[in-house]
Amino acid sequence: MRSIPLFAVPLLLCACGGPEVAQDTPATTQGEQPLTTLTATINYCTMQGFGRPTFTCEGVITGGTPPYTFFNWTGVSNATILTIMPMGSAMSRANGRCTAGLQAHVQYVVMDSAGDTATADLFFPCTV
């Protein structure tokens, strides 16, 4: 049997392309790809009021790439947002005031960690 001199091994490996190196494909880390489309939903706006109409609205965030980095409530017409309260990682509430007898319009805007945004609008009658 014939042996290969030790100094020839590196040359032989170079000539043959070297040893095969496994190419590991990195696994997608959780949170990189959204499972579903980011969605903002206003579940309800309920009226309260004792002489002056006030309301409470609840918004929910689903899909997208958690964690959710931003949410905001806006009174678009006949609605003034007074307080915004986070209610967990994917829900918030807003309290506000409106003028009785007119339709109110609120908007809920959310953003996920990938920078995607979603908007929900709700119109409701402002009553006492």
Side-chain angles (χ1 to χ4, degrees):
M1 179 174 190
R2 193 167 180 201
S3 64
I4 300 174
L6 199 51
F7 67 86
V9 173
L11 294 174
L12 183 59
L13 287 175
C14 287
C16 296
E20 186 174 326
V21 177
Q23 297 294 322
D24 290 337
T25 304
T28 304
T29 57
Q30 186 175 7
E32 283 186 5
Q33 295 295 321
L35 299 175
T36 58
T37 303
L38 177 65
T39 304
T41 305
I42 300 174
N43 283 345
Y44 62 80
C45 287
T46 57
M47 296 299 307
Q48 307 95 17
F50 302 97
R52 187 173 205 178
T54 60
F55 59 86
T56 298
C57 298
E58 180 181 89
V60 176
I61 309 167
T62 56
T65 308
Y68 306 111
T69 58
F70 172 82
F71 65 89
N72 190 45
W73 289 90
T74 304
V76 178
S77 63
N78 188 35
T80 302
I81 303 298
L82 301 173
T83 59
I84 298 173
M85 301 164 290
M87 305 297 290
S89 62
M91 181 184 293
S92 70
R93 287 193 182 140
N95 294 320
R97 246 190 341 247
C98 55
T99 302
L102 299 175
Q103 179 172 278
H105 176 193
V106 295
Q107 187 174 72
Y108 184 48
V109 179
V110 299
M111 180 183 293
D112 67 8
S113 60
D116 294 326
T117 60
T119 303
D121 289 272
L122 186 69
F123 296 84
F124 58 96
C126 182
T127 58
V128 178

